[in-house]
Amino acid sequence: MTGLSAETLSAPNVVVLDETLDLNAASELARTFAGLRGAPVTIDPSHVGRVGAQCVQVLIAARKTWMADGTYFTVTPGSEPFNEGLDLLGLTSFFSNERA
């Protein structure tokens, strides 16, 4: 698998994160966000089995960019490994939809 896939729906765009979010997936994830800039985005981390810090950095940058642009960015409920990874890094509240 490639790390993620983007499905364009009526609104917003859904970025479905793949099972392994490692260093190899980070550059593709960044390219996906670059292509979606300015469009509303929903992140679906429900299939993530392993999350690395590099992909989390890309997600942080995307969230900050969308917030600065005033564009819709939300994260649907994640898998247990995804949520544990965010918790371990102290970022659970950063990705809370209450901040969006």
Side-chain angles (χ1 to χ4, degrees):
M1 300 220 118
T2 60
L4 55 100
S5 62
E7 300 173 15
T8 303
L9 303 176
S10 57
N13 295 293
V14 177
V15 177
V16 180
L17 301 179
D18 201 13
E19 183 178 356
T20 302
L21 297 179
D22 57 10
L23 179 60
N24 296 323
S27 60
E28 185 175 345
L29 183 58
R31 281 191 300 273
T32 296
F33 283 125
L36 292 172
R37 182 149 186 202
V41 172
T42 294
I43 306 302
D44 176 359
S46 63
H47 303 289
V48 174
R50 190 175 87 206
V51 60
Q54 297 85 358
C55 283
V56 172
Q57 289 175 328
V58 172
L59 290 168
I60 290 169
R63 173 115 178 155
K64 285 185 165 197
T65 299
W66 264 249
M67 289 172 70
D69 291 349
T71 306
Y72 180 85
F73 185 101
T74 191
V75 180
T76 62
S79 65
E80 188 173 328
F82 181 80
N83 295 336
E84 288 174 356
L86 291 183
D87 191 44
L88 181 67
L89 294 168
L91 294 168
T92 302
S93 65
F94 181 79
F95 288 101
S96 166
N97 289 326
E98 293 157 8
R99 290 184 40 134

